Amino acid sequence: EPEVTQTPSHQVTQMGQEVILRCVPISNHLYFYWYRQILGQKVEFLVSFYNNEISEKSEIFDDQFSVERPDGSNFTLKIRSTKLEDSAMYFCASSDQVGNTIYFGEGSWLTVV
Amino acid sequence: AQSVAQPEDQVNVAEGNPLTVKCTYSVSGNPYLFWYVQYPNRGLQFLLKYITGDNLVKGSYGFEAEFNKSQTSFHLKKPSALVSDSALYFCAVRQLLYNTDKLIFGTGTRLQVFP
């Protein structure tokens, strides 16, 4: 069964460093998302991306965050200058059509120290 | 604004017994409702969804959910629980507006099935 894959599975970084989280969405999907889950809390929407541009972003997705689809398969989330409160599990997700099921990856656990 | 509520932080059930994980929703327009499961240190796995049609929706691993419009509920059920069902369960509503397509999650319910 096709799946969303994410790398790295776990990354530890120092505060102030840049981090790039990578995702390979399901191959025929056109809609891409990033969500995050702070330990013990609920899953929160960060950003949606379609047709090479951001469709929507949440209040969490400030100027420190950016997304990119550098080629036909990868979808990345960059955090320019990490803060302690960015420590969370980051989930990439994709969907083939608006309204269809959104499939999630296994997540990238980011720890900022 | 769309939202979902999961009133129980944790549900405990004995193996073999039926289980119910509760979810209520608040939406404007027709609801698109989903259940996802998260096993320890894993991602979110899709279980089932309600878009339209039959109020009883069947999904993966023997789970089903009943859509009740009058009670604005979408409770997850399984007739006979397994220890391996122990996980974190999230109810979600799909917010579909012009140029917006995202899932809004509940706070999650931890299901613990005891042998």
Side-chain angles (χ1 to χ4, degrees):
Chain A
E1 184 177 322
E3 57 183 23
V4 177
T5 57
Q6 291 185 241
T7 54
S9 56
H10 190 192
Q11 182 163 352
V12 181
T13 189
Q14 289 201 326
M15 190 168 55
Q17 294 296 304
E18 176 182 284
V19 161
I20 297 176
L21 304 178
R22 302 180 192 279
C23 170
V24 179
I26 296 173
S27 62
N28 63 334
H29 285 189
L30 301 175
Y31 298 83
F32 314 117
Y33 312 83
W34 284 99
Y35 288 76
R36 80 170 185 189
Q37 182 183 31
I38 295 173
L39 186 63
Q41 299 186 24
K42 69 177 181 179
V43 180
E44 300 173 294
F45 169 78
L46 288 179
V47 66
S48 58
F49 190 89
Y50 170 71
N51 201 25
N52 283 322
E53 61 183 22
I54 290 173
S55 307
E56 184 184 6
K57 57 185 180 181
S58 72
E59 293 175 353
I60 303 167
F61 195 89
D62 62 22
D63 292 344
Q64 293 300 312
F65 290 86
S66 63
V67 290
E68 192 179 33
R69 188 156 164 81
D71 52 41
S73 60
N74 291 285
F75 179 52
T76 62
L77 174 69
K78 182 192 292 186
I79 309 174
R80 288 191 187 81
S81 179
T82 50
K83 303 187 285 287
L84 294 176
E85 54 265 38
D86 294 329
S87 295
M89 178 76 89
Y90 288 82
F91 292 109
C92 176
S94 70
S95 175
D96 60 348
Q97 290 184 41
V98 170
N100 279 2
T101 300
I102 296 177
Y103 292 95
F104 286 79
E106 291 283 302
S108 293
W109 184 250
L110 175 65
T111 301
V112 182
V113 298
Chain B
Q2 326 279 58
S3 65
V4 292
Q6 294 180 247
E8 302 154 316
D9 290 336
Q10 180 152 333
V11 170
N12 300 317
V13 64
E15 188 174 34
N17 282 0
L19 69 87
T20 299
V21 182
K22 295 180 181 178
C23 173
T24 57
Y25 65 88
S26 174
V27 303
S28 52
N30 293 323
Y32 296 80
L33 297 161
F34 297 77
W35 277 101
Y36 286 83
V37 59
Q38 185 179 29
Y39 296 101
N41 301 313
R42 302 292 300 276
L44 295 165
Q45 291 184 36
F46 168 74
L47 273 181
L48 51 80
K49 66 182 177 184
Y50 173 83
I51 304 295
T52 186
D54 289 341
N55 290 340
L56 187 63
V57 179
K58 293 188 184 298
S60 307
Y61 313 122
F63 283 92
E64 56 190 29
E66 186 172 8
F67 172 70
N68 187 317
K69 189 173 182 178
S70 63
Q71 297 184 4
T72 62
S73 66
F74 189 56
H75 300 332
L76 182 70
K77 300 182 180 184
K78 187 173 182 181
S80 179
L82 300 172
V83 173
S84 56
D85 292 330
S86 299
L88 189 56
Y89 290 81
F90 289 97
C91 182
V93 62
R94 187 79 167 262
Q95 180 165 302
L96 284 171
L97 300 170
Y98 175 74
N99 212 33
T100 293
D101 177 19
K102 64 184 178 186
L103 287 169
I104 298 169
F105 286 86
T107 50
T109 299
R110 187 165 301 281
L111 173 66
Q112 190 71 49
V113 181
F114 295 95

